[in-house]
Amino acid sequence: MNKGQRTLVPVDVSTVQERVYQSLRLGLLRGEFLPGEQISIRSLAEVLGTSAMPVREALARLIAERAIEQSGPRTLRVAPYLASDHENYIRIRMQLEGYAAERAASAPKDPALIDSLKRHNDSMAEALAVGDFDAALAGNQAFHFELYRAGGYPQLLDLISTLWLRTGPIVASARKDAKLFDRLFHIGFRIHDDAIEAVERRDRAAARWAINLDIRSAHLAIRRFYKHAADQADNEGS
């Protein structure tokens, strides 16, 4: 066959880069990385089964989204916890996610949505029962994004996702304190039930209230966790 007659389809490198980016993004949303954790391009490439190039490209996008930081010439890390920044993110999240919950509650009744929300919330409780904190984090993320997606505004979901990239690892850090994590997520499970009932009743105000309570109560617990850790470090250093 003449070379000019070949009809091989070019490999779309951008597809690999997008898959890597989405995988890392989901990992951040679900808290699979911790605040301040150092990131190795080589290690990530091995885990994802790719070359370094798509990982490097994906991390560049996450740096632009302020989820990953370039802490040195060759050093990358997950954005660390900063109390003032986190407080601001929480305030913005309450506005955006509260509105998304309102939108979901004002939509026509959707039994499939209610079933999905209950399934995600139950999966979180089941994970807690066996001490599987990673699965509990995944269930929590799935619950929230199922609810927000029902609001029908993809642009709003994009904004919420960007904020979760910066706060997901912070919530995940609570698993260092097993009792705190268990208590935090059991409270979250009950609040999620309230949110589901509000959506089922099409009660917009109650849906917003439940989601805002969920966000705020988690934030207060995380803030206490970091303050306690800082106090311990100060006592050990003195």
Side-chain angles (χ1 to χ4, degrees):
M1 180 184 287
N2 188 295
K3 280 188 178 181
Q5 295 177 317
R6 287 180 180 155
T7 56
L8 296 176
V9 178
V11 174
D12 187 355
V13 178
S14 65
T15 303
V16 178
Q17 292 172 352
E18 183 63 24
R19 288 205 307 268
V20 169
Y21 168 72
Q22 292 298 337
S23 179
L24 293 176
R25 202 171 195 272
L26 185 60
L28 287 162
L29 291 174
R30 290 182 170 177
E32 293 177 22
F33 299 89
L34 295 177
E37 180 181 343
Q38 289 201 340
I39 301 293
S40 163
I41 292 174
R42 180 181 295 178
S43 295
L44 288 176
E46 289 177 359
V47 170
L48 294 167
T50 69
S51 66
M53 186 183 73
V55 175
R56 192 175 290 110
E57 293 292 330
L59 290 173
R61 291 171 67 179
L62 291 168
I63 289 171
E65 292 176 304
R66 298 178 63 187
I68 302 294
E69 290 185 353
Q70 183 100 37
S71 54
R74 295 186 178 180
T75 310
L76 299 170
R77 67 175 182 178
V78 179
Y81 171 80
L82 297 173
S84 58
D85 284 354
H86 192 242
E87 180 75 39
N88 291 336
Y89 290 146
I90 292 303
R91 288 173 179 164
I92 299 168
R93 279 187 56 195
M94 288 174 69
Q95 293 297 318
L96 295 179
E97 294 174 45
Y99 177 58
E102 278 190 3
R103 289 277 309 171
S106 63
K109 284 191 175 182
D110 183 357
L113 170 64
I114 299 302
D115 287 345
S116 291
L117 291 174
K118 288 179 178 178
R119 187 170 62 254
H120 292 315
N121 204 32
D122 288 344
S123 74
M124 192 174 82
E126 290 163 7
L128 288 172
V130 296
D132 188 343
F133 292 164
D134 287 340
L137 285 161
N140 180 63
Q141 184 268 337
F143 171 87
H144 279 270
F145 279 76
E146 185 83 37
L147 177 64
Y148 304 152
R149 197 175 295 112
Y153 279 176
Q155 301 89 341
L156 180 59
L157 192 64
D158 286 344
L159 292 171
I160 292 170
S161 295
T162 299
L163 289 167
W164 270 61
L165 287 176
R166 302 173 194 174
T167 59
I170 293 170
V171 174
S173 63
R175 63 189 171 195
K176 293 179 181 178
D177 183 333
K179 288 184 179 179
L180 169 67
F181 188 96
D182 189 69
R183 183 170 65 252
L184 172 61
F185 274 71
H186 272 103
I187 291 170
F189 172 80
R190 292 196 295 272
I191 296 173
H192 289 178
D193 265 349
D194 291 340
I196 294 169
E197 289 179 11
V199 172
E200 204 164 13
R201 297 194 313 267
R202 302 189 72 205
D203 187 334
R204 297 174 59 187
R208 174 184 275 273
W209 181 87
I211 289 302
N212 282 347
L213 178 62
D214 190 31
I215 296 169
R216 193 67 184 171
S217 62
H219 166 61
L220 293 175
I222 294 296
R223 189 169 67 183
R224 287 194 297 270
F225 167 74
Y226 274 98
K227 186 178 185 307
H228 179 67
D231 290 344
Q232 275 191 322
D234 288 343
N235 291 337
E236 290 171 3
S238 60

